[in-house]
């Protein structure tokens, strides 16, 4: 079983944004993947649609990842925290999907649909309509942490150029977006062979 940990946020200081991205996509990911139960991470930036500017997608072996001493004593945005807004941390049940199901190739994109602030019943009703039109999307129920959305839709796409969200037809509480990768897929003990496997 895989759990999907999604962190979304905006960054408010353009002059520091490049340095923040270099830290987050480098030392920050390396630091987190050294902790128990953390398996993979890939970062994304909003390309179109509605949602926060940045999204980080982690895969975990267990929700116990957030209960370890290694995590509890060393997490967060540290000196970058004053520039972070709309920060959300949500844990989702990936069910039987493999880690590879959430990997996005460098030239690809991640299509997301979330229902921040909606009740579980309303979100599931909206999800059913969207799922009928987009059968390839994976729907993951929330499993812990901030619980901003009762369920999230994720669909890795092979080509950013051909991707587009259709959120103009959605109600305001539904956030539909296309995110482009801004980091390589990082894994515990990343090797070239493992990277190629995850990108397939």
């Amino acid at each position: 079983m895989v759990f999907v940990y999604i962190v979304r946020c905006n960054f408010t200081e353009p002059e520091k944004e490049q340095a923040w991205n270099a830290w987050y996509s480098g030392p920050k990911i390396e630091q987190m993947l050294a902790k128990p139960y953390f398996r993979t991470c890939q970062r994304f930036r909003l390309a179109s649609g509605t949602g926060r500017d940045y999204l980080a997608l982690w895969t975990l072996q267990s929700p116990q990842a957030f209960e370890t001493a290694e995590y509890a004593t060393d997490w967060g945005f540290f000196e970058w925290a004053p520039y972070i807004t709309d920060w959300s941390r949500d844990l989702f049940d990936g069910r039987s999907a493999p880690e590879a199901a959430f990997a996005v190739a460098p030239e690809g994109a991640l299509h997301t649909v979330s229902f921040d602030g909606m009740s579980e019943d309303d979100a599931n009703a909206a999800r059913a309509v969207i799922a009928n039109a987009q059968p390839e999307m994976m729907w993951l129920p929330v499993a812990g942490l901030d619980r901003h959305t009762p369920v999230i839709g994720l669909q890795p796409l092979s080509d950013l150029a051909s991707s587009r969200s259709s959120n103009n037809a959605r109600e305001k509480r539904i956030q539909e977006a296309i995110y482009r990768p801004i980091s390589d897929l990082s894994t515990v003990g990343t090797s070239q062979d493992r990277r190629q496997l995850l990108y397939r």
Side-chain angles (χ1 to χ4, degrees):
M1 177 178 285
V2 170
F3 289 87
V4 176
Y5 171 41
I6 291 181
V7 179
R8 295 174 289 168
C9 69
N10 295 321
F11 193 85
T12 62
E13 183 50 70
E15 292 184 358
K16 299 180 182 293
E17 199 160 1
Q18 183 175 354
W20 175 69
N21 277 312
W23 169 80
Y24 201 159
S25 295
K28 172 64 173 178
I29 291 178
E30 183 178 349
Q31 166 211 0
M32 297 300 289
L33 289 180
K35 301 182 187 303
Y37 304 111
F38 281 82
R39 297 294 302 157
T40 71
C41 181
Q42 191 167 16
R43 295 188 64 228
F44 302 87
R45 185 162 190 177
L46 185 68
S48 64
T50 57
R52 296 166 181 82
D53 290 340
Y54 289 98
L55 183 152
L57 189 156
W58 307 78
T59 62
L60 311 176
Q61 290 179 314
S62 169
Q64 292 179 351
F66 305 105
E67 300 171 5
T68 67
E70 292 89 341
Y71 180 83
T73 59
D74 186 26
W75 69 278
F77 285 118
F78 304 101
E79 71 269 24
W80 305 103
Y83 314 112
I84 304 296
T85 62
D86 302 314
W87 181 15
S88 70
R89 301 163 59 245
D90 298 297
L91 182 67
F92 299 94
D93 185 350
R95 297 179 171 173
S96 60
E99 291 174 8
F102 305 101
V104 177
E107 67 277 8
L110 181 67
H111 185 183
T112 70
V113 179
S114 62
F115 308 91
D116 288 22
M118 292 179 70
S119 70
E120 184 175 357
D121 287 345
D122 287 348
N124 283 329
R127 176 200 58 77
V129 173
I130 298 169
N132 188 52
Q134 300 182 32
E136 299 301 317
M137 184 160 283
M138 297 178 285
W139 297 99
L140 311 182
V142 71
L145 299 178
D146 294 343
R147 297 178 178 268
H148 280 83
T149 177
V151 62
I152 196 166
L154 300 174
Q155 182 184 7
L157 303 170
S158 60
D159 184 3
L160 174 62
S162 64
S163 64
R164 61 185 179 86
S165 66
S166 56
N167 68 322
N168 56 352
R170 311 286 187 217
E171 70 160 279
K172 291 182 179 179
R173 292 184 298 168
I174 301 175
Q175 302 85 42
E176 183 175 7
I178 300 295
Y179 285 88
R180 62 179 177 85
I182 58 170
S183 77
D184 290 334
L185 179 73
S186 297
T187 71
V188 173
T190 299
S191 67
Q192 186 63 31
D193 290 343
R194 179 170 171 77
R195 188 186 303 277
Q196 291 173 352
L197 175 65
L198 287 166
Y199 279 143
R200 286 177 186 168

